[in-house]
Amino acid sequence: MNEDPLQIAHLQLEEAAEMMDLDDGLLDYLKTPDRVMQVKVPIRMDDGSIKVFTGYRSQHCGVRGPYKGGIRYHPDVTMEEVIALSMWMTWKCAVVDIPYGGGKGGVACNPKEMSSGELERLTRRYTSAILPLISPDRDIPAPDVYTNPQIMAWIMDTYSIFQGYSVPGIVTGKPVELGGSKGRISSTGRGVAITAREAAKKIGVRLNNARVVIQGFGNVGYYAAKILSEWGAKIIAVSDSRGGIYRAEGLTVDKVLEHKVKTGSVVGFNGTKEISNEELLELECEVLIPAALENVITKKNADNINARIVAEGANGPTTPDADRILDDKCELVLPDILANSGGVVVSYFEWVQDLNRYFWDEERVNQELERIMVKSFNEVLEVKRELGKEATWRAATMTLALKRVVEAFELRGLWP
Ligand code: GLU
């Protein structure tokens, strides 16, 4: 099976389209992005040399509103990957019914090897290169893999300099001091935790002492772990790119974070057994949360997954040929476009607050997030019930999203 993300995105779309009996022309329309921009990003490195990076911004489908989606900095970023990720954003925004289309950007670089000054120059130059595509009404970037609130602050500043006044609504995931939303930093992990909790309730699993395994201990994995453990779950294993740690009695999440901050990895944390990322995925547990990168659950290991619920914190962690196996193995699979949508939901709140110049307290943010996540989870359940066993959880979720996108398309009509 090919693990090319664009091919995977197409397969997922085709499966849902078939279920809905979607018109072939409409399917073609949705397979291609509205536009993609490739840009040259030359910057001065700290040693005085010039280095040229390549960046992209893809705008997949704008029928439901402005394009929305993160920017990732990663050595493996390609145009195809960015297009696929922008497609997933279209579905994600539709699943949670927020008024956006899908966008995504990326720069092929290794931020772990770059200084803060180099990252700032890269961000500013990339922002200036995609200026013709972005605006608070047109396309609103956000953080993604290896980008963070500081990088969003530089994007906001660069855009504002060109406009001649401050435009906080150009980007979400900013620091709170610059018009960011309270609760945005924890929102993706919180959304994962809420959907996992609802799934547990649905299949009759008590969250108290439920065993949770999390791959990835970045922003998403950490907050999912923290919030689920606050709700009584037992986090028995976590990992990062260097490997994983296991403790049957459960981990104290904040202590693991302290260790990671100090040493650069979760590995070596006191009183834990070291395990590989592959072993971690196969641990017996109630909830498994892949919250790292793409293509970690494949045809090779799907059959060994030993979780009752899988909640996809990462984008695209499961390959299509693993989907069916996973669906048969697990009682409930929460696909990425539902499970990790809490981030873009609070991005939406942030944008609304920026446009209104009126800011909410964290309690309101979390309450409204809770409401949208629970509602969306129930809507997916309803579609899954209608479609029956034949549809995987992903296909059911995709069908809900696709219906909403097609409705908007049909109401607007095709110009000219
Ligand atoms: N990058 C995140 C995602 O994949 C957040 C996007 C956003 O907030 O616009 O959902």
Side-chain angles (χ1 to χ4, degrees):
M1 171 68 209
N2 197 322
E3 288 176 0
D4 163 24
L6 189 53
Q7 231 171 342
I8 293 177
H10 281 169
L11 278 172
Q12 292 169 346
L13 170 61
E14 280 161 10
E15 195 184 358
E18 207 177 297
M19 245 156 221
M20 279 175 58
D21 226 353
L22 190 75
D23 175 86
D24 281 348
L26 252 178
L27 177 60
D28 281 345
Y29 172 86
L30 292 169
K31 269 184 167 174
T32 42
D34 289 349
R35 61 188 70 76
V36 195
M37 195 172 184
Q38 177 178 323
V39 295
K40 179 166 80 179
V41 190
I43 63 159
R44 180 86 56 195
M45 302 301 277
D46 288 348
D47 66 5
S49 65
I50 292 172
K51 205 163 166 184
V52 180
F53 297 89
T54 305
Y56 309 92
R57 184 75 187 169
S58 166
Q59 299 179 330
H60 172 251
C61 177
V63 293
R64 286 175 43 88
Y67 305 98
K68 185 84 190 80
I71 290 171
R72 70 170 55 181
Y73 287 175
H74 194 277
D76 298 338
V77 164
T78 62
M79 183 185 277
E80 286 69 31
E81 184 194 50
V82 169
I83 295 173
L85 288 160
S86 71
M87 268 175 101
W88 282 322
M89 287 309 299
T90 301
W91 316 136
K92 195 183 295 187
C93 294
V95 168
V96 285
D97 210 4
I98 56 176
Y100 288 134
K104 199 77 162 203
V107 179
C109 65
N110 189 351
K112 289 186 179 173
E113 286 172 1
M114 294 170 72
S115 71
S116 169
E118 288 166 346
L119 279 173
E120 178 174 352
R121 293 191 289 280
L122 180 89
T123 302
R124 291 188 183 278
R125 185 66 193 232
Y126 169 71
T127 306
S128 71
I130 61 165
L131 272 186
L133 290 190
I134 59 172
S135 94
D137 292 316
R138 190 177 296 148
D139 184 349
I140 307 117
D144 198 77
V145 174
Y146 296 151
T147 54
N148 56 32
Q150 176 61 71
I151 290 174
M152 300 306 115
W154 292 326
I155 294 178
M156 183 264 195
D157 185 67
T158 305
Y159 186 86
S160 299
I161 297 278
F162 277 94
Q163 291 298 307
Y165 52 89
S166 278
V167 189
I170 182 58
V171 69
T172 60
K174 298 177 294 294
V176 171
E177 295 77 1
L178 297 178
S181 179
K182 297 206 170 92
R184 173 63 182 83
I185 197 89
S186 55
S187 58
T188 313
R190 182 173 293 276
V192 172
I194 294 170
T195 50
R197 183 197 68 207
E198 292 302 299
K201 214 191 294 172
K202 171 76 194 154
I203 64 166
V205 166
R206 277 169 52 88
L207 210 50
N208 205 22
N209 277 326
R211 292 163 299 174
V212 177
V213 170
I214 305 185
Q215 185 188 48
F217 205 65
N219 187 43
V220 182
Y222 164 70
Y223 280 107
K226 187 175 162 65
I227 293 165
L228 282 167
S229 69
E230 280 168 11
W231 292 345
K234 201 160 65 174
I235 315 300
I236 59 166
V238 298
S239 69
D240 55 35
S241 56
R242 296 206 206 150
I245 53 172
Y246 170 79
R247 185 169 182 268
E249 300 76 30
L251 299 157
T252 309
V253 177
D254 279 327
K255 291 267 178 263
V256 178
L257 182 68
E258 253 173 50
H259 176 81
K260 185 176 163 89
V261 170
K262 226 185 287 159
T263 66
S265 172
V266 297
V267 175
F269 180 61
N270 232 343
T272 60
K273 185 177 155 228
E274 193 172 331
I275 54 172
S276 68
N277 261 298
E278 292 72 35
E279 288 167 325
L280 174 133
L281 289 170
E282 300 179 6
L283 286 172
E284 189 186 331
C285 60
E286 276 67 50
V287 184
L288 171 65
I289 303 177
L293 281 171
E294 285 110 273
N295 301 331
V296 294
I297 302 180
T298 65
K299 201 165 80 179
K300 281 197 209 110
N301 64 355
D303 210 31
N304 302 332
I305 303 287
N306 228 327
R308 294 181 69 181
I309 296 165
V310 174
E312 295 184 341
N315 286 317
T318 309
T319 60
D321 48 12
D323 257 340
R324 174 57 68 185
I325 310 173
L326 199 64
D327 247 60
D328 291 342
K329 286 285 293 188
C330 307
E331 284 163 73
L332 217 156
V333 178
L334 297 158
D336 46 8
I337 54 172
L338 171 65
N340 74 29
S341 60
V344 74
V345 169
V346 177
S347 274
Y348 167 52
F349 299 159
E350 179 171 334
W351 179 73
V352 167
Q353 293 171 73
D354 288 337
L355 298 184
N356 287 305
R357 304 289 198 267
Y358 181 80
F359 292 88
W360 309 354
D361 58 25
E362 190 162 352
E363 199 187 342
R364 175 167 175 198
V365 172
N366 289 345
Q367 262 172 12
E368 300 231 11
L369 173 64
E370 164 86 24
R371 184 181 58 77
I372 292 188
M373 297 307 299
V374 172
K375 174 172 158 281
S376 309
F377 172 79
N378 285 322
E379 284 168 346
V380 168
L381 273 192
E382 183 57 27
V383 178
K384 171 77 174 136
R385 203 184 50 77
E386 277 165 24
L387 294 174
K389 260 238 147 274
E390 207 178 299
T392 58
W393 285 98
R394 188 178 319 281
T397 313
M398 274 293 299
T399 305
L400 174 68
L402 196 52
K403 258 197 200 132
R404 289 185 172 148
V405 173
V406 169
E407 257 161 30
F409 174 87
E410 278 166 357
L411 283 166
R412 287 178 65 153
L414 187 60
W415 187 88

